[in-house]
Amino acid sequence: MMSKEAKKIYVEEMKKNFTSNESVMIAQYQGLNVNELDALRKELREKGILFKITKNRITKIALEKTKCKDLSNLFTGPTAVAFGEDAIMSARILSKFAKDNENLK
């Protein structure tokens, strides 16, 4: 369980990510194993894209005062967010990975 201070830091970090990145992509990853997630994370990181597994309830709080507040209904179940500057590259990598791994949506 996160401490109150850790939650505040998480909320501020997520607010910064949502407001400072051009591309925000939400992914559901239920059914992927650790090795698959690590492979996806590595591929995204090589292109400068941050792939962050979220804490849904706290992320919804962070979204409230950002331009992405309408996305809060997507945060149910195992959810991750890809933050980056190039939306096309993010979409390309996530789409390619989803074709090979049906558990990524």
Side-chain angles (χ1 to χ4, degrees):
M1 180 176 250
M2 292 177 84
S3 70
K4 196 170 192 174
E5 188 61 32
K7 287 178 185 177
K8 285 180 184 178
I9 292 168
Y10 179 86
V11 166
E12 289 306 312
E13 177 186 331
M14 291 303 283
K15 273 188 204 176
K16 180 181 171 218
N17 286 330
F18 280 112
T19 57
S20 66
N21 287 287
E22 292 294 317
S23 169
V24 175
M25 306 239 171
I26 314 299
Q28 302 288 326
Y29 65 90
Q30 185 168 11
L32 290 178
N33 64 40
V34 174
N35 292 334
E36 292 166 332
L37 282 170
D38 285 346
L40 175 59
R41 198 178 259 139
K42 180 182 181 220
E43 189 173 352
L44 289 164
R45 192 179 322 119
E46 288 172 354
K47 300 295 183 185
I49 302 163
L50 172 65
F51 188 73
K52 185 157 182 69
I53 298 203
T54 62
K55 297 192 175 298
N56 292 340
R57 191 162 186 271
I58 302 170
T59 301
K60 288 178 183 181
I61 293 168
L63 278 169
E64 287 175 2
K65 295 183 174 139
T66 70
K67 63 184 177 186
C68 301
K69 63 183 171 216
D70 296 335
L71 299 177
S72 65
N73 63 330
L74 299 174
F75 288 88
T76 59
T79 310
V81 184
F83 297 104
E85 295 304 316
D86 185 355
I88 294 170
M89 184 58 66
S90 298
R92 185 177 295 152
I93 293 170
L94 290 169
S95 294
K96 180 180 172 259
F97 191 86
K99 284 179 185 174
D100 298 333
N101 298 280
E102 62 187 36
N103 291 324
L104 183 71
K105 296 178 180 44

